Amino acid sequence: MSTETKTLEDLGGLKGDTPAAPVHVQKLDAHGRAYATGKRKDAVARVWLKPGRGKITVNDKDYTSYFARPVLQMLLMQPINAVNRADQYDINVTVAGGGLSGQAGAVRHGISKALTYYEPELRSTLKRGGFLTRDSRTVERKKYGRAKARRSFQFSKR
């Protein structure tokens, strides 16, 4: 080492060019739609977002008939309501795998990503709300010598 740094001012001179913040640009397909994939548990949702009147279709059904529970409908609408875009986009979703709760979470994740691809300036609002983070919790696998993932067989002394 040829030069020695002894003060904090010397360290300040060592740092080079700081990398610029990533610039997010609009990502659209040939039809003018934003496409995103959302995941939760074992469910995978493919989401297409385009300007429209606010119609949400999940597997060729209205989202209120596909997700009958109000809690799941509310979960699905959270990112749209967070950015005040309720009646501006038509959303078409194909979801497969897992149960209804996991599918609703996957659709929510996919809608959030598609919104950021269509309008990159919404990214900070959605990120602050936690909608862009993929919830990585999945079912723990069953281990050998156990009844379930962690539960042991009933103990008997004799």
Side-chain angles (χ1 to χ4, degrees):
M1 189 161 169
S2 61
T3 60
E4 255 184 68
T5 55
K6 296 188 179 192
T7 65
L8 289 174
E9 288 78 26
D10 294 341
L11 286 176
L14 288 178
K15 73 175 179 183
D17 295 332
T18 56
V23 178
H24 299 287
V25 293
Q26 189 179 44
K27 297 179 188 174
L28 301 179
D29 64 2
H31 302 287
R33 303 174 300 186
Y35 169 77
T37 305
K39 295 181 181 181
R40 169 83 169 94
K41 292 187 177 180
D42 280 338
V44 178
R46 300 182 310 160
V47 178
W48 288 270
L49 182 128
K50 63 180 180 181
R53 298 179 180 218
K55 184 179 175 195
I56 301 175
T57 310
V58 179
N59 289 352
D60 297 324
K61 293 182 183 178
D62 187 52
Y63 82 101
T64 54
S65 62
Y66 190 84
F67 296 112
R69 282 185 276 170
V71 172
L72 299 180
Q73 295 173 18
M74 180 204 63
L75 190 77
L76 192 100
M77 294 298 290
Q78 279 179 335
I80 300 166
N81 293 334
V83 293
N84 299 321
R85 301 288 192 272
D87 297 328
Q88 294 185 15
Y89 295 110
D90 285 343
I91 301 169
N92 189 13
V93 181
T94 305
V95 64
L100 284 178
S101 176
Q103 287 183 351
V107 172
R108 172 185 154 188
H109 185 226
I111 288 173
S112 304
K113 285 173 63 176
L115 279 168
T116 61
Y117 292 155
Y118 203 89
E119 289 187 65
E121 60 272 6
L122 298 178
R123 183 173 172 81
S124 63
T125 308
L126 291 169
K127 190 148 179 81
R128 204 174 317 116
F131 301 118
L132 296 177
T133 306
R134 194 254 199 247
D135 191 351
S136 60
R137 295 176 296 168
T138 57
V139 178
E140 191 175 345
R141 76 172 188 90
K142 184 198 174 300
K143 280 76 167 191
Y144 58 87
R146 298 271 175 169
K148 292 169 42 175
R150 296 190 178 195
R151 192 200 182 299
S152 337
F153 296 112
Q154 183 172 343
F155 176 75
S156 174
K157 195 168 187 178
R158 291 182 190 15

